[in-house]
Amino acid sequence: MISRERLQGVTFVVAAIAVLAWLSHNFSANLVAKGITIDFGFLKEATSFPIGESLISYSSGDTYLRALTAGLLNTIRLAIAGIALATVFGVVVGLTARIGHPLLTRVAKVYVEFTRNVPLLLILVVCATVVRALPGPRQAWTPLDGVMLSSRGLYLPLPLIENGMALLIAVVLLIAAAWATMRLSLRGKNETGVFPRTGKLALSGCGVILVGLCAWSVSTMTLDRPALVGFNFRGGWSVTPEYLAMLFGLAFYTSGFIAEIVRGSLAALPKGQSEAASSLGLGSFLTLWLVLAPQALRLMLPPLANQYLNLIKNTTLAVLIGYPDLVSVGNTALNQTGRAIETVTIYLLIYLSLSLVTSVLIRQLEKRAQLVKL
Amino acid sequence: MSEIAITPVQRTYPSLKTRMSPYFKPWPHAIITVLGVLLIGYALVSLFGWAVLNATFGHATPDACRAAGGACWAMLTERYNIVLFGSYPAGEYWRPALAIVLVLGVLIASGFRQLWKPALAIAWVVVMVLSLVLMGGGVLGLEPVSTSRWGGLPLTVGLSAFGIVLALPLSVGLALGRRSKIMVVKRSCDAYVEIVRGLPLLAVLFVASTMLPLLLPGGNMIDTILRAQIALILFQAAYLAEAIRSGLDAVPKGQAEAAHALGLPDRLVSRLVVLPQAFRIALPAIINTFIESIKDTTLISIIGLIDVLGGARGAIADGTWMGFYREAYLAVGIAFFAFCYILSLHSRRLEQEFANERR
């Protein structure tokens, strides 16, 4: 006799297949009726639209694939910078409550409530409007020589370093060497109880060379300062007003949630932890850094990962602000080619894999945090 | 019998000195206090100057506003209709207004556990039908208004409220499905929730607006508002399912075991014992999901619908009132904040209540 569970399972499968069959029947009937075909060949065709900004070289007439790649890179660029900035804001706001000043605590609370109860789109629209309403390039706000903020975006001086690539490789190699020495020396210390002298020597050698290299490159570098040419700036390193608005808006919105996570997970630790640390004579910073933060991190990571994922998903709002992210470029491509099904499929696949990659990365991080034994 | 003297507990209030001490001790706090008071005072004074002293109230022209230099509240008196009702016919504003009141009424009633009775479900159905009739017209002598003219607050309220209510049954199914012993059911529900939660709402709205007409018989017949509503329901259901699942997980296992021991069949164990408790625990989380969904409704502008924020953008987009974005966005922001903040206070209070009951 078939068990009841089995019967229910079979019923579920049959019903699901029936629904899916009905949907796909409608789908193919509609495709035939409207003469739509599914063909990703359009990706190789030439576009006829420009993209406001791109990390890879792109111009109107390149393939759709290249346009979408440029959009995806813009999304990733915005997401990474947004996560970094939101974390900084969030940690700062989350820690202000620990200072114990009632006024600061209250301000942090208002900050958190504001971000929680106002739609992100409103924040982004306001940011975009404010950035656009900044003074024009001729009246740009210049807090430091070479730093200019205007309705054309933010311009910063770009340091030009001779043999920059070689320098970068040297610095990376040095840091890797220092790290390896550190690990070896620590292993030595675990065995013998003393930090090996060769390790100390090698580490200080690395430090001296690093400082020397930096000093040398700073003394030889030239700054490419942005300058006003005609109606706009030339040179330097710049970000567009749309990017600025998106970055700041996203970071502000997400930082409220992160602040609450930081505050909450520190508050969730047993009081004895900080009391024990201060009775051992640790100051408030060392207590936080050595005792509370490592423990709070384990509580923090899962909800933090959620916020990072939200931020990545929220980069799609760029399409409503005019920053050329994946959806923005994709929608333009869709309007040009009429390839709705293909574009939508690309969105789904890309955002699902972005979410997946992020959650795998965070899970790695969580594993490392778990290794901190109590 | 000896009399026991009952003296009321004297509640002592800390002296002013004790209360003020964290503002000035240790000494760096004094600096923060002084700087903070100066900064906040300056901000308040300039806000007052902008919003009240130099502001233009009532009816006025944009030029009069520019001359006054402060906030132009006149812009809202002239343009409130576009923000609130989009392009709904001007003579019929009472209809969307009444619909909003009805929906908000039944929504507020749903926030209280004491009112969770079958009548509430009936009330929801009645309100849904009534508000749709009010908005659409065409019967009872109401002038028909095409859905393409619906916009503003009714869309924001309707899409988010109906969205959450209609997503609820689906999410209960998903949450129960994720705990099912039948592997196919569990896997499918898991996959649905995880996939939807991995997608941005904007993409889901977009998918719905392009794919729904292709997936249903009859081609392009499905209304844009309905597409948005379906997308919101399917999206919120995944998040609600997580909220309900956390509620289900929090119900002690003994409850179901005891119900089984009493001889209740599986179906009734869920319906009579586990789900009611799970709902009670999950209510704060459900309200939080609702807050998110209210904020999320602003995204419907991607498929060409106009909500409150879209209305505000439209009100300042035409030539006359361009540049008065502060007033429009401030008004919309305050409205969203007030509504969502009240909801989150309610959610926190429920959480507290529940924590107290458990003790």
Side-chain angles (χ1 to χ4, degrees):
Chain A
M1 193 185 139
I2 314 171
S3 74
R4 221 184 56 210
E5 267 164 31
R6 190 138 196 176
L7 198 69
Q8 284 173 345
V10 171
T11 324
F12 176 82
V13 171
V14 170
I17 288 177
V19 170
L20 286 180
W22 181 67
L23 290 176
S24 55
H25 167 76
N26 292 339
F27 187 60
S28 51
N30 280 321
L31 287 192
V32 171
K34 291 185 179 174
I36 304 174
T37 52
I38 299 178
D39 180 9
F40 283 89
F42 81 99
L43 288 175
K44 292 216 171 104
E45 288 165 20
T47 58
S48 55
F49 57 86
I51 295 179
E53 59 193 292
S54 167
L55 289 177
I56 51 173
S57 75
Y58 167 86
S59 58
S60 177
D62 282 343
T63 60
Y64 279 100
L65 188 62
R66 200 172 176 82
L68 288 172
T69 314
L72 176 61
L73 287 176
N74 278 340
T75 293
I76 294 176
R77 172 188 181 212
L78 179 62
I80 292 177
I83 285 176
L85 199 60
T87 311
V88 173
F89 285 3
V91 169
V92 168
V93 176
L95 289 181
T96 46
R98 294 197 72 81
I99 296 175
H101 191 289
L103 206 62
L104 286 181
T105 312
R106 190 106 9 117
V107 168
K109 216 169 172 181
V110 170
Y111 184 100
V112 170
E113 288 300 338
F114 182 82
T115 54
R116 275 190 164 191
N117 295 310
V118 170
L120 171 62
L121 183 57
L122 180 63
I123 293 174
L124 288 178
V125 166
V126 170
C127 284
T129 321
V130 167
V131 170
R132 245 172 256 143
L134 284 173
R138 281 171 189 283
Q139 294 86 35
W141 184 59
T142 317
L144 286 170
D145 189 29
V147 179
M148 289 184 241
L149 186 67
S150 73
S151 59
R152 298 294 169 92
L154 178 67
Y155 283 77
L156 296 169
L158 183 71
L160 293 177
I161 298 167
E162 277 175 68
N163 302 326
M165 208 57 210
L167 188 74
L168 191 71
I169 293 172
V171 167
V172 169
L173 282 180
L174 262 177
I175 290 175
W179 183 72
T181 330
M182 191 72 191
R183 303 258 335 220
L184 278 176
S185 310
L186 282 178
R187 194 179 295 163
K189 192 190 169 199
N190 276 348
E191 281 163 9
T192 62
V194 269
F195 202 90
R197 262 185 56 173
T198 41
K200 274 186 197 169
L201 272 175
L203 275 177
S204 34
C206 284
V208 168
I209 298 175
L210 204 64
V211 170
L213 270 178
C214 288
W216 175 75
S217 59
V218 166
S219 66
T220 57
M221 90 180 168
T222 47
L223 277 180
D224 177 16
R225 289 173 205 278
L228 193 66
V229 180
F231 291 107
N232 207 347
F233 299 105
R234 288 269 173 77
W237 183 79
S238 66
V239 288
T240 60
E242 291 83 16
Y243 177 78
L244 215 55
M246 278 306 294
L247 177 64
F248 187 77
L250 274 178
F252 172 63
Y253 180 78
T254 314
S255 66
F257 292 82
I258 293 180
E260 188 55 21
I261 293 168
V262 170
R263 190 201 61 76
S265 48
L266 282 172
L269 294 177
K271 222 178 167 188
Q273 292 289 334
S274 57
E275 285 168 355
S278 58
S279 68
L280 284 174
L282 290 181
S284 60
F285 175 75
L286 283 181
T287 303
L288 184 68
W289 185 248
L290 295 175
V291 180
L292 301 180
Q295 300 181 60
L297 198 63
R298 295 193 310 178
L299 298 175
M300 241 180 258
L301 273 177
L304 207 56
N306 240 338
Q307 289 310 320
Y308 289 166
L309 286 173
N310 281 345
L311 189 141
I312 293 174
K313 288 184 273 175
N314 284 335
T315 55
T316 49
L317 268 69
V319 64
L320 297 162
I321 303 301
Y323 173 73
D325 78 322
L326 177 70
V327 175
S328 175
V329 174
N331 280 10
T332 318
L334 191 160
N335 288 335
Q336 301 262 324
T337 58
R339 296 270 167 208
I341 303 169
E342 294 85 344
T343 321
V344 158
T345 315
I346 292 173
Y347 290 169
L348 294 186
L349 289 179
I350 286 184
Y351 283 106
L352 275 183
S353 28
L354 278 182
S355 296
L356 204 70
V357 168
T358 316
S359 42
V360 167
L361 282 178
I362 299 273
R363 209 155 297 160
Q364 290 299 320
L365 213 61
E366 262 169 53
K367 258 188 209 154
R368 289 196 59 136
Q370 296 299 350
L371 284 180
V372 180
K373 294 231 172 69
L374 290 179
Chain B
M1 242 164 73
S2 62
E3 288 285 317
I4 302 170
I6 300 172
T7 48
V9 177
Q10 288 288 326
R11 199 169 161 197
T12 51
Y13 290 96
S15 69
L16 188 68
K17 203 180 156 198
T18 331
R19 268 186 296 159
M20 291 310 285
S21 85
Y23 286 94
F24 296 101
K25 271 180 210 164
W27 65 267
H29 279 200
I31 303 176
I32 300 175
T33 308
V34 172
L35 282 179
V37 167
L38 283 178
L39 207 68
I40 293 173
Y42 174 74
L44 283 181
V45 167
S46 36
L47 184 71
F48 185 73
W50 176 76
V52 182
L53 288 185
N54 298 325
T56 323
F57 297 91
H59 293 272
T61 58
D63 289 328
C65 277
R66 287 196 190 94
C72 183
W73 303 120
M75 180 251 165
L76 290 176
T77 22
E78 304 281 350
R79 288 292 181 175
Y80 80 95
N81 49 353
I82 295 189
V83 181
L84 286 184
F85 301 116
S87 54
Y88 206 81
E92 311 280 338
Y93 283 161
W94 66 271
R95 285 160 52 181
L98 185 59
I100 291 169
V101 170
L102 283 174
V103 174
L104 286 184
V106 70
L107 195 64
I108 290 167
S110 312
F112 296 93
R113 296 200 295 249
Q114 298 87 330
L115 295 174
W116 285 2
K117 288 175 185 134
L120 191 63
I122 299 169
W124 266 108
V125 175
V126 171
V127 164
M128 269 185 217
V129 173
L130 258 179
S131 54
L132 287 179
V133 166
L134 272 171
M135 289 291 292
V139 286
L140 305 170
L142 292 172
E143 202 173 312
V145 178
S146 129
T147 52
S148 59
R149 302 191 66 174
W150 298 10
L153 197 58
L155 269 196
T156 302
V157 172
L159 283 177
S160 46
F162 294 165
I164 201 96
V165 169
L166 294 172
L168 215 47
L170 184 57
S171 62
V172 171
L174 284 168
L176 288 175
R178 292 190 82 174
R179 292 160 63 95
S180 169
K181 285 178 221 130
I182 309 161
M183 264 307 145
V184 207
V185 178
K186 182 177 155 33
R187 288 275 155 76
S188 326
C189 293
D190 279 346
Y192 179 84
V193 172
E194 291 308 326
I195 287 177
V196 172
R197 276 160 46 93
L199 289 173
L201 174 60
L202 205 101
V204 173
L205 277 169
F206 212 72
V207 171
S209 87
T210 53
M211 299 297 268
L212 272 180
L214 293 172
L215 288 174
L216 297 174
N220 252 337
M221 299 302 285
I222 174 168
D223 191 88
T224 315
I225 295 178
L226 191 56
R227 291 181 207 177
Q229 183 71 86
I230 293 175
L232 286 171
I233 292 171
L234 293 177
F235 186 76
Q236 298 304 345
Y239 286 83
L240 272 182
E242 277 299 280
I244 292 171
R245 192 174 72 137
S246 66
L248 286 171
D249 286 345
V251 176
K253 226 176 162 192
Q255 295 285 329
E257 286 167 358
H260 273 298
L262 286 173
L264 278 184
D266 273 354
R267 214 162 11 92
L268 290 181
V269 171
S270 280
R271 184 153 41 126
L272 297 179
V273 179
V274 180
L275 268 182
Q277 299 186 55
F279 254 105
R280 230 171 54 151
I281 303 169
L283 187 58
I286 293 175
I287 295 178
N288 289 342
T289 316
F290 183 45
I291 295 176
E292 290 302 312
S293 86
I294 293 171
K295 286 158 52 183
D296 282 346
T297 352
T298 50
L299 298 194
I300 57 174
S301 58
I302 186 68
I303 54 176
L305 296 174
I306 294 171
D307 70 319
V308 178
L309 182 54
R313 291 177 92 177
I316 50 175
D318 74 348
T320 359
W321 295 99
M322 219 144 107
F324 294 106
Y325 61 90
R326 291 186 194 88
E327 294 81 355
Y329 292 152
L330 193 63
V332 173
I334 288 174
F336 269 108
F337 184 86
F339 197 66
C340 294
Y341 187 59
I342 290 171
L343 278 174
S344 67
L345 286 183
H346 183 57
S347 138
R348 258 173 263 174
R349 214 196 61 203
L350 286 172
E351 214 161 340
Q352 199 54 51
E353 250 174 45
F354 180 71
N356 291 344
E357 279 171 28
R358 275 231 148 155
R359 250 190 307 167

